[in-house]
Amino acid sequence: LLDLLTNPPYGLGFPMANIGDWTQFYRYCTANSLFLSPVFSAQEETSAIITRLMKLTNSGVYFSEGTLKITPFGDAVVTGHQTTYTPNTTPVYELMEDDFIVTGDEDPVTISRRPSVDAYNHVKVEFLNASNQFNTEVAEAKDLVAIDLFGLRTMDSIQAHEIKSPVVARAVAQNILQRSQYVCNSYSFKLGWKHCLLEPTDLVTLTDLAAGLDQT
């Protein structure tokens, strides 16, 4: 990723001075054995490549304070390959009802819930298996409980030829499956300038008793 962005002859020409601290991203990928081996043999927009790499490594990328930052979505301590990933689970703000900006009789926090029946419970990842002459294979992840309850709902197959190992492919499929199954709620609210230091991927708690939220 760093090479794609900063390499002078063929990279994006992104300044090294604007690369943020990717230590947590490195630790997360290493501890979880999320090792990729991409080959870029055709012209493609760099933004599309980065978006795909972020999806495969369960992370979010954003530009803030003049630097490109990456934050993994993993929320559990993981150790592997002599590396430990420890997530930051401390909320930046504990938002109370007085913090939200409302107009008229609108709700301070609007909650959108995706029905569980609409969540994908079967994910397929297409990869190139280095142990089988780089032939195309498919790794799968299923949530059997959800399948029993709602029937089989299969996500469109994800092409991830950056992956060369069935172990990595299964781990990626499982991460994508879990986000589909368990990240179902969206919360919308407005804040004033005193919270302007918030960045994408920052954690906050929400308290809106009328909406049933108590330090959620």
Side-chain angles (χ1 to χ4, degrees), residues 151-210:
L152 184 67
R153 288 187 53 79
T154 301
M155 181 183 293
D156 290 341
S157 182
I158 298 168
Q159 187 182 87
H161 291 177
E162 293 88 347
I163 301 174
K164 304 299 191 293
S165 160
V167 174
V168 175
R170 283 192 291 270
V172 169
Q174 185 65 33
N175 277 337
I176 295 173
L177 173 69
Q178 289 180 195
R179 287 193 64 81
S180 174
Q181 281 290 304
Y182 303 119
V183 183
C184 297
N185 289 0
S186 297
Y187 304 88
S188 301
F189 49 89
K190 298 176 185 177
L191 300 174
W193 281 106
K194 70 177 182 178
H195 297 105
C196 66
L197 294 181
L198 277 173
E199 296 181 320
T201 75
D202 278 347
L203 294 176
V204 298
T205 65
L206 302 179
T207 295
D208 180 7
L209 299 182

Side-chain angles (χ1 to χ4, degrees), residues 116-150:
S116 298
V117 67
D118 292 338
Y120 292 111
N121 50 38
H122 179 211
V123 173
K124 298 185 292 183
V125 172
E126 179 185 294
F127 69 103
L128 304 180
N129 192 346
S131 300
N132 186 23
Q133 298 181 333
F134 296 97
N135 283 315
T136 302
E137 296 184 11
V138 174
E140 298 181 88
K142 295 181 180 179
D143 189 313
L144 298 180
V145 173
I147 292 173
D148 288 340
L149 288 173
F150 307 116

